[in-house]
Amino acid sequence: MPRKGKIRLTNALPRRAVALLTALTLLAMFACSKQPIEQPAGSVVSPLGQRITQPIKAVYRPDLFPQQTTVPFTESMVQPLESGVPSADAKLVFSFPLPNSEASIQVYSGADSGSGWTGYAAGKHSKWKLGSLSGIPREEAGQIAALNFLTGDRSGAVLNFPFGDIGARKGIAVYDRTADTWKIVDFQGHEAVEMDIDKDGTPEWVGNQTRWVPPALEIHQWSAEKGHFESAVLQWEPDLFPGPVRNTPSYSSLFEENGVRFIEIGDDEAYAFFTYEQGMLKQYRPDDTRSRVLEMRQVRRYGER
């Protein structure tokens, strides 16, 4: 009997060792499964499919970019308008006449707009509905501003209040007196700030979308030669930097330091700086060549923790 008990005790030791070894192996396998799987473009994906943003390791490489390049602008997308007139019981709230033109921007209140206001773009023989308006204070001065740089058959105004079906924050209305028609640029609902980015005396409307992933710079400008507004989102233009190495960058962002506005353009490997001058990007070398976009992302990442 003692001998049998001794045999059972001796056989239990290997079983415990095997169980311990098995548990350690499973723990090691579980720990390895928790490690993120490396992915290209500076990011990793966990086994659960969660993408984790990694710091950009791009370096300043102006030699990989041209000294100057022309931005390939295309006509800005316009909001379609429907013809329409206010109802008989609607009341004219105010009218803003466009300079050197028979056209005007008109705002009515009444049954056709419910409890709010409705905007109209009135031409020489036509009237077009801008849609419901909101955010206009009773002191409407400054909410509509003339585009004094438009000449010839075209005139226009900036609408500094939400309007239309998508509630665009701001818009540009351009009237063609020859065709008696309007074109409304509403920036597709994106933020756009009026500024003379190239300091040539004519304003541009710039959307410095730093909250986009990746950040993007959107520029709208008037083309006197073509007679319409044109726009470009810099890193979305495949013809911006032609060539097999630097074809399409992944981000762009506008910065201003010491009175100089400049643009950082690049991807996760390389970047360079440019100024914008009359439709062209020209390389610019600041005294400090660190990546402002990388710094901006790091500040945001730490701030969100």
Side-chain angles (χ1 to χ4, degrees):
M1 293 295 293
R3 186 174 182 178
K4 290 182 180 179
K6 186 177 181 180
I7 292 174
R8 285 197 294 271
L9 181 61
T10 305
N11 289 341
L13 289 174
R15 284 200 292 273
R16 291 177 181 175
V18 170
L20 180 60
L21 180 60
T22 302
L24 291 174
T25 302
L26 291 174
L27 285 173
M29 292 175 62
F30 180 75
C32 290
S33 68
K34 287 294 186 179
Q35 296 299 317
I37 302 171
E38 289 292 336
Q39 296 290 323
S43 64
V44 295
V45 177
S46 72
L48 298 179
Q50 299 169 322
R51 185 168 294 279
I52 306 169
T53 303
Q54 297 294 305
I56 299 175
K57 297 181 180 179
V59 294
Y60 178 57
R61 289 292 305 274
D63 57 298
L64 297 180
F65 296 84
Q67 288 298 312
Q68 64 180 35
T69 183
T70 302
V71 178
F73 281 92
T74 56
E75 184 174 1
S76 297
M77 294 186 65
V78 297
Q79 175 180 308
L81 295 179
E82 59 181 85
S83 59
V85 295
S87 60
D89 59 345
K91 296 181 180 180
L92 180 65
V93 178
F94 67 89
S95 178
F96 181 89
L98 270 58
N100 304 317
S101 174
E102 311 91 334
S104 62
I105 303 295
Q106 300 176 353
V107 176
Y108 283 82
S109 66
D112 62 333
S113 59
S115 59
W117 292 352
T118 303
Y120 292 87
K124 184 176 182 179
H125 300 295
S126 63
K127 187 166 287 189
W128 303 82
K129 192 173 182 180
L130 283 173
S132 61
L133 310 182
S134 61
I136 305 180
R138 287 293 172 177
E139 306 80 35
E140 55 276 345
Q143 298 302 303
I144 302 178
L147 297 175
N148 293 317
F149 57 85
L150 297 185
T151 59
D153 292 332
R154 292 173 177 83
S155 57
V158 183
L159 312 178
N160 293 300
F161 45 75
F163 68 94
D165 295 334
I166 67 172
R169 297 179 181 89
K170 180 179 293 188
I172 296 175
V174 177
Y175 176 67
D176 185 335
R177 73 176 64 173
T178 301
D180 194 23
T181 57
W182 293 80
K183 287 186 177 181
I184 307 296
V185 179
D186 62 3
F187 312 115
Q188 301 179 62
H190 303 160
E191 294 182 0
V193 177
E194 182 177 346
M195 68 172 67
D196 188 358
I197 187 174
D198 54 3
K199 298 182 179 179
D200 66 347
T202 301
E204 289 80 28
W205 278 261
V206 179
N208 196 31
Q209 316 299 356
T210 58
R211 287 288 173 180
W212 289 9
V213 180
L217 183 67
E218 181 178 7
I219 301 176
H220 294 260
Q221 66 179 19
W222 173 253
S223 172
E225 179 183 356
K226 300 174 183 176
H228 61 231
F229 274 91
E230 54 187 13
S231 64
V233 180
L234 294 191
Q235 78 272 14
W236 292 355
E237 302 297 340
D239 298 327
L240 185 59
F241 298 116
V245 180
R246 297 254 68 85
N247 188 14
T248 304
S250 64
Y251 70 80
S252 59
S253 191
L254 176 67
F255 299 90
E256 182 171 0
E257 296 176 6
N258 301 319
V260 178
R261 294 190 180 110
F262 61 91
I263 304 163
E264 180 180 335
I265 299 177
D267 55 24
D268 291 336
E269 297 178 359
Y271 65 89
F273 301 103
F274 297 85
T275 56
Y276 179 79
E277 300 179 22
Q278 297 182 333
M280 296 190 66
L281 295 174
K282 296 184 178 181
Q283 273 213 33
Y284 167 73
R285 184 185 179 97
D287 295 333
D288 184 353
T289 59
R290 75 187 189 282
S291 170
R292 273 65 167 177
V293 171
L294 171 58
E295 186 177 77
M296 181 173 61
R297 287 183 175 180
Q298 288 175 335
V299 169
R300 183 173 302 161
R301 186 180 302 113
Y302 295 143
E304 291 174 352
R305 288 183 177 179

mmCIF file of all heavy atoms in Angstrom, residues 257-296:
data_model
loop_
_atom_site.group_PDB
_atom_site.id
_atom_site.type_symbol
_atom_site.label_atom_id
_atom_site.label_comp_id
_atom_site.label_asym_id
_atom_site.label_seq_id
_atom_site.Cartn_x
_atom_site.Cartn_y
_atom_site.Cartn_z
ATOM 1 N N GLU A 257 3.551 82.640 -39.967
ATOM 2 C CA GLU A 257 4.566 82.957 -38.972
ATOM 3 C C GLU A 257 5.323 84.201 -39.424
ATOM 4 O O GLU A 257 5.733 84.290 -40.586
ATOM 5 C CB GLU A 257 5.541 81.791 -38.781
ATOM 6 C CG GLU A 257 4.895 80.523 -38.231
ATOM 7 C CD GLU A 257 5.863 79.361 -38.157
ATOM 8 O OE1 GLU A 257 7.076 79.567 -38.436
ATOM 9 O OE2 GLU A 257 5.430 78.234 -37.839
ATOM 10 N N ASN A 258 5.466 85.147 -38.525
ATOM 11 C CA ASN A 258 6.197 86.378 -38.817
ATOM 12 C C ASN A 258 5.644 87.097 -40.048
ATOM 13 O O ASN A 258 6.393 87.646 -40.863
ATOM 14 C CB ASN A 258 7.691 86.093 -38.997
ATOM 15 C CG ASN A 258 8.310 85.454 -37.766
ATOM 16 O OD1 ASN A 258 8.001 85.842 -36.633
ATOM 17 N ND2 ASN A 258 9.175 84.468 -37.982
ATOM 18 N N GLY A 259 4.328 87.074 -40.193
ATOM 19 C CA GLY A 259 3.685 87.764 -41.298
ATOM 20 C C GLY A 259 3.754 87.037 -42.630
ATOM 21 O O GLY A 259 3.307 87.591 -43.640
ATOM 22 N N VAL A 260 4.297 85.823 -42.662
ATOM 23 C CA VAL A 260 4.413 85.057 -43.905
ATOM 24 C C VAL A 260 3.448 83.878 -43.859
ATOM 25 O O VAL A 260 3.463 83.094 -42.900
ATOM 26 C CB VAL A 260 5.851 84.535 -44.121
ATOM 27 C CG1 VAL A 260 5.940 83.705 -45.395
ATOM 28 C CG2 VAL A 260 6.832 85.694 -44.164
ATOM 29 N N ARG A 261 2.576 83.763 -44.862
ATOM 30 C CA ARG A 261 1.704 82.599 -44.986
ATOM 31 C C ARG A 261 2.403 81.563 -45.864
ATOM 32 O O ARG A 261 2.799 81.868 -46.989
ATOM 33 C CB ARG A 261 0.363 82.989 -45.608
ATOM 34 C CG ARG A 261 -0.473 83.922 -44.740
ATOM 35 C CD ARG A 261 -1.877 84.056 -45.311
ATOM 36 N NE ARG A 261 -2.706 84.947 -44.498
ATOM 37 C CZ ARG A 261 -3.118 86.147 -44.882
ATOM 38 N NH1 ARG A 261 -2.778 86.604 -46.074
ATOM 39 N NH2 ARG A 261 -3.865 86.881 -44.090
ATOM 40 N N PHE A 262 2.530 80.362 -45.348
ATOM 41 C CA PHE A 262 3.161 79.294 -46.130
ATOM 42 C C PHE A 262 2.423 77.989 -45.899
ATOM 43 O O PHE A 262 1.687 77.821 -44.922
ATOM 44 C CB PHE A 262 4.646 79.160 -45.804
ATOM 45 C CG PHE A 262 4.942 78.821 -44.364
ATOM 46 C CD1 PHE A 262 5.059 77.506 -43.951
ATOM 47 C CD2 PHE A 262 5.117 79.824 -43.432
ATOM 48 C CE1 PHE A 262 5.337 77.195 -42.633
ATOM 49 C CE2 PHE A 262 5.399 79.530 -42.106
ATOM 50 C CZ PHE A 262 5.501 78.194 -41.703
ATOM 51 N N ILE A 263 2.625 77.065 -46.812
ATOM 52 C CA ILE A 263 1.877 75.812 -46.837
ATOM 53 C C ILE A 263 2.851 74.649 -46.689
ATOM 54 O O ILE A 263 3.855 74.576 -47.412
ATOM 55 C CB ILE A 263 1.098 75.663 -48.163
ATOM 56 C CG1 ILE A 263 0.182 76.871 -48.375
ATOM 57 C CG2 ILE A 263 0.290 74.372 -48.187
ATOM 58 C CD1 ILE A 263 -0.309 77.016 -49.808
ATOM 59 N N GLU A 264 2.544 73.752 -45.766
ATOM 60 C CA GLU A 264 3.307 72.497 -45.673
ATOM 61 C C GLU A 264 2.572 71.420 -46.452
ATOM 62 O O GLU A 264 1.374 71.214 -46.263
ATOM 63 C CB GLU A 264 3.469 72.058 -44.215
ATOM 64 C CG GLU A 264 4.265 70.752 -44.089
ATOM 65 C CD GLU A 264 4.443 70.287 -42.655
ATOM 66 O OE1 GLU A 264 4.392 71.140 -41.738
ATOM 67 O OE2 GLU A 264 4.632 69.076 -42.446
ATOM 68 N N ILE A 265 3.290 70.757 -47.339
ATOM 69 C CA ILE A 265 2.719 69.688 -48.168
ATOM 70 C C ILE A 265 3.634 68.474 -48.053
ATOM 71 O O ILE A 265 4.858 68.603 -48.127
ATOM 72 C CB ILE A 265 2.595 70.114 -49.637
ATOM 73 C CG1 ILE A 265 1.668 71.330 -49.755
ATOM 74 C CG2 ILE A 265 2.070 68.977 -50.497
ATOM 75 C CD1 ILE A 265 1.542 71.856 -51.168
ATOM 76 N N GLY A 266 3.041 67.292 -47.880
ATOM 77 C CA GLY A 266 3.881 66.106 -47.780
ATOM 78 C C GLY A 266 3.087 64.850 -47.539
ATOM 79 O O GLY A 266 1.870 64.795 -47.729
ATOM 80 N N ASP A 267 3.809 63.813 -47.095
ATOM 81 C CA ASP A 267 3.198 62.548 -46.725
ATOM 82 C C ASP A 267 3.965 61.987 -45.530
ATOM 83 O O ASP A 267 4.673 62.727 -44.851
ATOM 84 C CB ASP A 267 3.181 61.571 -47.913
ATOM 85 C CG ASP A 267 4.556 61.352 -48.523
ATOM 86 O OD1 ASP A 267 5.572 61.548 -47.807
ATOM 87 O OD2 ASP A 267 4.642 60.982 -49.699
ATOM 88 N N ASP A 268 3.853 60.696 -45.272
ATOM 89 C CA ASP A 268 4.498 60.119 -44.094
ATOM 90 C C ASP A 268 5.996 59.940 -44.256
ATOM 91 O O ASP A 268 6.662 59.480 -43.325
ATOM 92 C CB ASP A 268 3.857 58.764 -43.770
ATOM 93 C CG ASP A 268 2.430 58.914 -43.269
ATOM 94 O OD1 ASP A 268 2.118 59.997 -42.756
ATOM 95 O OD2 ASP A 268 1.650 57.967 -43.387
ATOM 96 N N GLU A 269 6.538 60.295 -45.422
ATOM 97 C CA GLU A 269 7.970 60.118 -45.653
ATOM 98 C C GLU A 269 8.718 61.433 -45.817
ATOM 99 O O GLU A 269 9.845 61.571 -45.344
ATOM 100 C CB GLU A 269 8.194 59.235 -46.889
ATOM 101 C CG GLU A 269 7.639 57.819 -46.743
ATOM 102 C CD GLU A 269 7.836 57.002 -47.997
ATOM 103 O OE1 GLU A 269 8.384 57.561 -48.982
ATOM 104 O OE2 GLU A 269 7.442 55.830 -48.010
ATOM 105 N N ALA A 270 8.110 62.397 -46.495
ATOM 106 C CA ALA A 270 8.828 63.633 -46.798
ATOM 107 C C ALA A 270 7.840 64.794 -46.905
ATOM 108 O O ALA A 270 6.657 64.597 -47.187
ATOM 109 C CB ALA A 270 9.603 63.488 -48.101
ATOM 110 N N TYR A 271 8.351 66.006 -46.683
ATOM 111 C CA TYR A 271 7.525 67.192 -46.795
ATOM 112 C C TYR A 271 8.386 68.371 -47.227
ATOM 113 O O TYR A 271 9.620 68.331 -47.168
ATOM 114 C CB TYR A 271 6.820 67.505 -45.473
ATOM 115 C CG TYR A 271 7.753 67.872 -44.333
ATOM 116 C CD1 TYR A 271 8.151 69.184 -44.100
ATOM 117 C CD2 TYR A 271 8.264 66.882 -43.488
ATOM 118 C CE1 TYR A 271 9.017 69.518 -43.060
ATOM 119 C CE2 TYR A 271 9.121 67.195 -42.437
ATOM 120 C CZ TYR A 271 9.492 68.512 -42.236
ATOM 121 O OH TYR A 271 10.351 68.833 -41.221
ATOM 122 N N ALA A 272 7.697 69.444 -47.672
ATOM 123 C CA ALA A 272 8.364 70.695 -48.043
ATOM 124 C C ALA A 272 7.380 71.832 -47.796
ATOM 125 O O ALA A 272 6.199 71.606 -47.512
ATOM 126 C CB ALA A 272 8.824 70.662 -49.496
ATOM 127 N N PHE A 273 7.873 73.067 -47.910
ATOM 128 C CA PHE A 273 7.056 74.254 -47.663
ATOM 129 C C PHE A 273 6.932 75.080 -48.944
ATOM 130 O O PHE A 273 7.875 75.137 -49.755
ATOM 131 C CB PHE A 273 7.664 75.112 -46.557
ATOM 132 C CG PHE A 273 7.814 74.389 -45.242
ATOM 133 C CD1 PHE A 273 9.051 73.926 -44.833
ATOM 134 C CD2 PHE A 273 6.723 74.177 -44.429
ATOM 135 C CE1 PHE A 273 9.193 73.261 -43.629
ATOM 136 C CE2 PHE A 273 6.849 73.516 -43.222
ATOM 137 C CZ PHE A 273 8.099 73.054 -42.818
ATOM 138 N N PHE A 274 5.771 75.740 -49.089
ATOM 139 C CA PHE A 274 5.501 76.529 -50.282
ATOM 140 C C PHE A 274 4.743 77.794 -49.900
ATOM 141 O O PHE A 274 4.002 77.817 -48.920
ATOM 142 C CB PHE A 274 4.658 75.733 -51.289
ATOM 143 C CG PHE A 274 5.331 74.497 -51.819
ATOM 144 C CD1 PHE A 274 5.270 73.301 -51.116
ATOM 145 C CD2 PHE A 274 6.036 74.528 -53.015
ATOM 146 C CE1 PHE A 274 5.888 72.161 -51.592
ATOM 147 C CE2 PHE A 274 6.657 73.393 -53.498
ATOM 148 C CZ PHE A 274 6.583 72.207 -52.784
ATOM 149 N N THR A 275 4.935 78.829 -50.698
ATOM 150 C CA THR A 275 4.049 79.987 -50.658
ATOM 151 C C THR A 275 3.134 79.908 -51.868
ATOM 152 O O THR A 275 3.436 79.212 -52.849
ATOM 153 C CB THR A 275 4.835 81.307 -50.699
ATOM 154 O OG1 THR A 275 5.678 81.334 -51.865
ATOM 155 C CG2 THR A 275 5.678 81.458 -49.439
ATOM 156 N N TYR A 276 2.003 80.603 -51.789
ATOM 157 C CA TYR A 276 1.037 80.599 -52.882
ATOM 158 C C TYR A 276 1.041 81.963 -53.542
ATOM 159 O O TYR A 276 0.829 82.981 -52.880
ATOM 160 C CB TYR A 276 -0.359 80.269 -52.356
ATOM 161 C CG TYR A 276 -1.419 80.271 -53.434
ATOM 162 C CD1 TYR A 276 -1.562 79.195 -54.299
ATOM 163 C CD2 TYR A 276 -2.266 81.368 -53.594
ATOM 164 C CE1 TYR A 276 -2.521 79.204 -55.293
ATOM 165 C CE2 TYR A 276 -3.234 81.384 -54.567
ATOM 166 C CZ TYR A 276 -3.352 80.299 -55.417
ATOM 167 O OH TYR A 276 -4.302 80.317 -56.410
ATOM 168 N N GLU A 277 1.295 81.998 -54.843
ATOM 169 C CA GLU A 277 1.371 83.258 -55.571
ATOM 170 C C GLU A 277 0.658 83.130 -56.907
ATOM 171 O O GLU A 277 1.147 82.455 -57.816
ATOM 172 C CB GLU A 277 2.834 83.664 -55.805
ATOM 173 C CG GLU A 277 3.638 83.860 -54.520
ATOM 174 C CD GLU A 277 5.081 84.227 -54.796
ATOM 175 O OE1 GLU A 277 5.355 84.730 -55.911
ATOM 176 O OE2 GLU A 277 5.932 84.000 -53.914
ATOM 177 N N GLN A 278 -0.530 83.727 -56.994
ATOM 178 C CA GLN A 278 -1.302 83.818 -58.241
ATOM 179 C C GLN A 278 -1.407 82.472 -58.953
ATOM 180 O O GLN A 278 -1.038 82.331 -60.119
ATOM 181 C CB GLN A 278 -0.675 84.867 -59.159
ATOM 182 C CG GLN A 278 -0.713 86.274 -58.561
ATOM 183 C CD GLN A 278 -0.141 87.321 -59.483
ATOM 184 O OE1 GLN A 278 0.693 87.025 -60.317
ATOM 185 N NE2 GLN A 278 -0.588 88.555 -59.325
ATOM 186 N N GLY A 279 -1.919 81.501 -58.233
ATOM 187 C CA GLY A 279 -2.175 80.198 -58.836
ATOM 188 C C GLY A 279 -0.993 79.258 -58.865
ATOM 189 O O GLY A 279 -1.106 78.159 -59.414
ATOM 190 N N MET A 280 0.123 79.656 -58.281
ATOM 191 C CA MET A 280 1.315 78.817 -58.300
ATOM 192 C C MET A 280 1.838 78.590 -56.885
ATOM 193 O O MET A 280 1.715 79.461 -56.012
ATOM 194 C CB MET A 280 2.418 79.441 -59.161
ATOM 195 C CG MET A 280 2.074 79.574 -60.621
ATOM 196 S SD MET A 280 3.530 80.033 -61.605
ATOM 197 C CE MET A 280 4.548 78.572 -61.407
ATOM 198 N N LEU A 281 2.420 77.418 -56.669
ATOM 199 C CA LEU A 281 3.137 77.115 -55.439
ATOM 200 C C LEU A 281 4.622 77.280 -55.694
ATOM 201 O O LEU A 281 5.162 76.753 -56.672
ATOM 202 C CB LEU A 281 2.847 75.680 -54.985
ATOM 203 C CG LEU A 281 1.413 75.367 -54.572
ATOM 204 C CD1 LEU A 281 1.267 73.878 -54.282
ATOM 205 C CD2 LEU A 281 0.995 76.189 -53.363
ATOM 206 N N LYS A 282 5.285 78.036 -54.810
ATOM 207 C CA LYS A 282 6.726 78.255 -54.927
ATOM 208 C C LYS A 282 7.388 77.826 -53.628
ATOM 209 O O LYS A 282 6.926 78.177 -52.534
ATOM 210 C CB LYS A 282 7.028 79.728 -55.236
ATOM 211 C CG LYS A 282 6.475 80.183 -56.585
ATOM 212 C CD LYS A 282 6.885 81.620 -56.899
ATOM 213 C CE LYS A 282 6.364 82.060 -58.271
ATOM 214 N NZ LYS A 282 6.770 83.440 -58.602
ATOM 215 N N GLN A 283 8.465 77.071 -53.744
ATOM 216 C CA GLN A 283 9.121 76.562 -52.542
ATOM 217 C C GLN A 283 9.579 77.695 -51.639
ATOM 218 O O GLN A 283 10.070 78.730 -52.105
ATOM 219 C CB GLN A 283 10.296 75.660 -52.908
ATOM 220 C CG GLN A 283 9.897 74.220 -53.139
ATOM 221 C CD GLN A 283 10.982 73.235 -52.724
ATOM 222 O OE1 GLN A 283 11.726 73.487 -51.781
ATOM 223 N NE2 GLN A 283 11.055 72.124 -53.436
ATOM 224 N N TYR A 284 9.438 77.445 -50.347
ATOM 225 C CA TYR A 284 9.808 78.430 -49.327
ATOM 226 C C TYR A 284 10.530 77.684 -48.215
ATOM 227 O O TYR A 284 10.118 76.598 -47.805
ATOM 228 C CB TYR A 284 8.546 79.114 -48.790
ATOM 229 C CG TYR A 284 8.755 79.923 -47.537
ATOM 230 C CD1 TYR A 284 9.429 81.145 -47.576
ATOM 231 C CD2 TYR A 284 8.269 79.481 -46.314
ATOM 232 C CE1 TYR A 284 9.615 81.894 -46.421
ATOM 233 C CE2 TYR A 284 8.441 80.231 -45.155
ATOM 234 C CZ TYR A 284 9.120 81.433 -45.214
ATOM 235 O OH TYR A 284 9.301 82.168 -44.076
ATOM 236 N N ARG A 285 11.636 78.253 -47.746
ATOM 237 C CA ARG A 285 12.397 77.629 -46.675
ATOM 238 C C ARG A 285 12.382 78.527 -45.441
ATOM 239 O O ARG A 285 13.093 79.540 -45.392
ATOM 240 C CB ARG A 285 13.844 77.352 -47.097
ATOM 241 C CG ARG A 285 14.650 76.594 -46.026
ATOM 242 C CD ARG A 285 16.105 76.429 -46.414
ATOM 243 N NE ARG A 285 16.840 75.744 -45.374
ATOM 244 C CZ ARG A 285 17.111 74.446 -45.367
ATOM 245 N NH1 ARG A 285 16.706 73.696 -46.379
ATOM 246 N NH2 ARG A 285 17.781 73.894 -44.370
ATOM 247 N N PRO A 286 11.572 78.182 -44.427
ATOM 248 C CA PRO A 286 11.595 78.962 -43.187
ATOM 249 C C PRO A 286 12.878 78.674 -42.416
ATOM 250 O O PRO A 286 13.575 77.689 -42.678
ATOM 251 C CB PRO A 286 10.358 78.442 -42.440
ATOM 252 C CG PRO A 286 10.166 77.057 -42.958
ATOM 253 C CD PRO A 286 10.622 77.067 -44.392
ATOM 254 N N ASP A 287 13.181 79.526 -41.473
ATOM 255 C CA ASP A 287 14.368 79.297 -40.649
ATOM 256 C C ASP A 287 14.259 77.988 -39.869
ATOM 257 O O ASP A 287 15.248 77.281 -39.673
ATOM 258 C CB ASP A 287 14.571 80.471 -39.678
ATOM 259 C CG ASP A 287 14.892 81.767 -40.404
ATOM 260 O OD1 ASP A 287 15.447 81.676 -41.524
ATOM 261 O OD2 ASP A 287 14.581 82.845 -39.868
ATOM 262 N N ASP A 288 13.053 77.680 -39.432
ATOM 263 C CA ASP A 288 12.789 76.442 -38.701
ATOM 264 C C ASP A 288 12.067 75.486 -39.643
ATOM 265 O O ASP A 288 10.949 75.765 -40.069
ATOM 266 C CB ASP A 288 11.931 76.749 -37.474
ATOM 267 C CG ASP A 288 11.694 75.523 -36.605
ATOM 268 O OD1 ASP A 288 12.078 74.413 -37.014
ATOM 269 O OD2 ASP A 288 11.114 75.686 -35.515
ATOM 270 N N THR A 289 12.680 74.379 -39.989
ATOM 271 C CA THR A 289 12.118 73.470 -40.987
ATOM 272 C C THR A 289 11.414 72.264 -40.357
ATOM 273 O O THR A 289 11.183 71.269 -41.038
ATOM 274 C CB THR A 289 13.215 72.966 -41.940
ATOM 275 O OG1 THR A 289 14.231 72.289 -41.183
ATOM 276 C CG2 THR A 289 13.829 74.124 -42.719
ATOM 277 N N ARG A 290 11.061 72.337 -39.086
ATOM 278 C CA ARG A 290 10.350 71.216 -38.474
ATOM 279 C C ARG A 290 8.971 71.083 -39.124
ATOM 280 O O ARG A 290 8.410 72.060 -39.644
ATOM 281 C CB ARG A 290 10.195 71.433 -36.972
ATOM 282 C CG ARG A 290 9.144 72.458 -36.606
ATOM 283 C CD ARG A 290 9.117 72.799 -35.135
ATOM 284 N NE ARG A 290 7.970 73.614 -34.784
ATOM 285 C CZ ARG A 290 7.864 74.905 -35.003
ATOM 286 N NH1 ARG A 290 8.865 75.550 -35.587
ATOM 287 N NH2 ARG A 290 6.783 75.571 -34.652
ATOM 288 N N SER A 291 8.396 69.896 -39.043
ATOM 289 C CA SER A 291 7.059 69.667 -39.593
ATOM 290 C C SER A 291 6.011 70.264 -38.661
ATOM 291 O O SER A 291 5.823 69.798 -37.538
ATOM 292 C CB SER A 291 6.803 68.166 -39.773
ATOM 293 O OG SER A 291 5.441 67.941 -40.093
ATOM 294 N N ARG A 292 5.304 71.285 -39.129
ATOM 295 C CA ARG A 292 4.243 71.874 -38.321
ATOM 296 C C ARG A 292 3.044 70.925 -38.213
ATOM 297 O O ARG A 292 2.352 70.903 -37.194
ATOM 298 C CB ARG A 292 3.773 73.186 -38.935
ATOM 299 C CG ARG A 292 4.561 74.427 -38.525
ATOM 300 C CD ARG A 292 5.985 74.402 -38.999
ATOM 301 N NE ARG A 292 6.628 75.712 -38.859
ATOM 302 C CZ ARG A 292 7.897 75.923 -39.151
ATOM 303 N NH1 ARG A 292 8.668 74.925 -39.591
ATOM 304 N NH2 ARG A 292 8.435 77.128 -39.005
ATOM 305 N N VAL A 293 2.801 70.161 -39.267
ATOM 306 C CA VAL A 293 1.685 69.220 -39.235
ATOM 307 C C VAL A 293 1.940 68.121 -38.212
ATOM 308 O O VAL A 293 1.043 67.737 -37.452
ATOM 309 C CB VAL A 293 1.446 68.619 -40.637
ATOM 310 C CG1 VAL A 293 0.441 67.472 -40.575
ATOM 311 C CG2 VAL A 293 0.951 69.697 -41.592
ATOM 312 N N LEU A 294 3.168 67.602 -38.159
ATOM 313 C CA LEU A 294 3.519 66.594 -37.156
ATOM 314 C C LEU A 294 3.349 67.161 -35.754
ATOM 315 O O LEU A 294 2.781 66.517 -34.870
ATOM 316 C CB LEU A 294 4.957 66.121 -37.363
ATOM 317 C CG LEU A 294 5.544 65.219 -36.268
ATOM 318 C CD1 LEU A 294 4.693 63.977 -36.081
ATOM 319 C CD2 LEU A 294 6.974 64.843 -36.604
ATOM 320 N N GLU A 295 3.804 68.383 -35.554
ATOM 321 C CA GLU A 295 3.675 69.021 -34.243
ATOM 322 C C GLU A 295 2.211 69.209 -33.876
ATOM 323 O O GLU A 295 1.803 68.980 -32.730
ATOM 324 C CB GLU A 295 4.403 70.360 -34.264
ATOM 325 C CG GLU A 295 4.455 71.060 -32.924
ATOM 326 C CD GLU A 295 5.261 72.347 -33.009
ATOM 327 O OE1 GLU A 295 4.724 73.338 -33.532
ATOM 328 O OE2 GLU A 295 6.431 72.351 -32.583
ATOM 329 N N MET A 296 1.398 69.616 -34.860
ATOM 330 C CA MET A 296 -0.020 69.819 -34.631
ATOM 331 C C MET A 296 -0.698 68.508 -34.239
ATOM 332 O O MET A 296 -1.521 68.468 -33.319
ATOM 333 C CB MET A 296 -0.660 70.396 -35.897
ATOM 334 C CG MET A 296 -2.141 70.685 -35.828
ATOM 335 S SD MET A 296 -2.722 71.543 -37.322
ATOM 336 C CE MET A 296 -2.330 70.311 -38.592
#
